[in-house]
Amino acid sequence: PPRVALQVLPPSTGHCMKSLLSVSALALTLSSVANAQTVTSLPDLGNCVYNTSFATGAGNSANVAITGAQPRNGNGSLELQMTNFAQPAVSMCGSTVTGTLAQLSSLSFDYLGTNPVNTSPTIRLIFDAQYLGNTRTFNLGWYANSGAPNWTNSGNLTTVGSSIAGNTGFFLRLTGSGGGQLLRDCSTTGLSGGFDDRRQSLTDWLGACNGAAGALDFSQAFVKAVQIDQGRWPDFTGTNVNYVDNVTVGYAGRTSSAINFEVASTVVPEPSTYALMAAGLAGLFAVQRRRRRQSV
């Protein structure tokens, strides 16, 4: 955390105690935000955050932006807007979110969904693994399929249970054209038809995808990105907007990191600043007048 230089004048004992309390409070504040990462622009090259939206066909569009329409903490959040068959998405690939899949210990985000029937805020873990002798990209995703007209926290998703037909757990997708294919299990013949999304806990997926009997092997899989997007059903039409903020990722042995989306603020001088500038200019003008009189 940044160091803070303080100039201490000889105070009374009471003032000394106040100074110590102020310094302690400042240290606690710095400590609490040391693992927070603020993103104010897309793309954000420094924080490795990119717009990865896609839309195909006439009349389809996907847009992502950091706006103040539905602020969560601070003055903004990530806004995801889609029209018809499209997918607004943002991928985060910095060191704060990448790590070994088996070591993932915390994963959560805040979301607000305006149309939970056909679209849902979704978080995905993007990683590579061997599939039929080739390295392929997979994603394990979780989506909120319940109404969220107000800001809701997903909770730690690494602890959610499995549900074949329920509304918990992660679905597994093999990335490819047209959004890829869902997998029912870890076998090489486990491709599902349509939207047969078998959802399981991360523990169950890792336990099943262990390389035995030709199955997929996720034991050494490395999460290379975390994606936030707006999941959608293929028959969705119309325009929908969802909001996301405070994406938190943590791995065993590492402190969790939160990514917060904020609108870039424009610094506007306060009235006292203008008054100080005016006083300074008046002083310079007075000095110049005095010098002119003395030279006459």
Side-chain angles (χ1 to χ4, degrees):
R3 296 182 178 179
V4 180
L6 298 176
Q7 181 180 7
V8 181
L9 299 176
S12 65
T13 304
H15 288 164
C16 186
M17 288 300 296
K18 283 186 177 181
S19 298
L20 289 173
L21 289 172
S22 299
V23 172
S24 298
L26 177 60
L28 287 173
T29 301
L30 292 174
S31 174
S32 65
V33 300
N35 298 303
Q37 179 180 346
T38 301
V39 175
T40 58
S41 64
L42 295 174
D44 186 327
L45 303 182
N47 289 319
C48 196
V49 180
Y50 296 92
N51 178 353
T52 51
S53 305
F54 74 86
T56 56
N60 302 327
S61 65
N63 298 288
V64 294
I66 300 171
T67 72
Q70 292 286 349
R72 174 56 164 166
N73 296 109
N75 66 358
S77 63
L78 180 66
E79 180 178 308
L80 304 103
Q81 183 180 95
M82 60 176 280
T83 299
N84 300 331
F85 191 72
Q87 187 174 64
V90 167
S91 292
M92 297 159 282
C93 51
S95 59
T96 57
V97 301
T98 57
T100 304
L101 178 61
Q103 297 296 313
L104 187 71
S105 59
S106 63
L107 180 69
S108 66
F109 68 112
D110 295 339
Y111 60 90
L112 188 155
T114 60
N115 186 349
V117 177
N118 292 308
T119 64
S120 300
T122 303
I123 188 167
R124 303 174 195 261
L125 302 166
I126 313 296
F127 60 94
D128 291 336
Q130 288 295 307
Y131 181 77
L132 295 177
N134 297 309
T135 300
R136 299 291 300 274
T137 300
F138 295 82
N139 72 73
L140 279 165
W142 182 93
Y143 60 84
N145 63 347
S146 59
N150 300 309
W151 279 105
T152 303
N153 180 262
S154 66
N156 187 357
L157 298 176
T158 66
T159 63
V160 299
S162 297
S163 177
I164 304 301
N167 60 358
T168 64
F170 287 77
F171 57 84
L172 177 62
R173 183 179 287 274
L174 173 63
T175 303
S177 61
Q181 292 177 287
L182 289 162
L183 282 81
R184 288 190 298 268
D185 52 52
C186 297
S187 70
T188 55
T189 59
L191 294 177
S192 67
F195 280 78
D196 176 18
D197 57 340
R198 176 171 183 169
R199 290 196 260 174
Q200 299 187 98
S201 67
L202 286 177
T203 301
D204 286 348
W205 279 118
L206 286 167
C209 300
N210 56 13
L216 297 169
D217 188 358
F218 293 167
S219 60
Q220 302 301 316
F222 187 83
V223 178
K224 59 183 182 180
V226 172
Q227 179 174 297
I228 291 291
D229 59 64
Q230 189 164 273
R232 76 281 180 271
W233 299 105
D235 57 351
F236 173 80
T237 57
T239 298
N240 186 54
V241 183
N242 287 323
Y243 301 89
V244 168
D245 207 357
N246 297 328
V247 181
T248 302
V249 184
Y251 294 88
R254 289 163 48 182
T255 304
S256 299
S257 298
I259 298 175
N260 182 30
F261 296 95
E262 294 291 345
V263 177
S265 59
T266 302
V267 178
V268 179
E270 297 182 1
S272 58
T273 304
Y274 286 118
L276 186 61
M277 291 173 60
L281 290 173
L284 288 173
F285 181 72
V287 170
Q288 288 182 346
R289 287 186 61 184
R290 186 177 303 170
R291 287 179 177 175
R292 287 176 182 174
R293 288 177 181 178
Q294 289 176 350
S295 62
V296 174

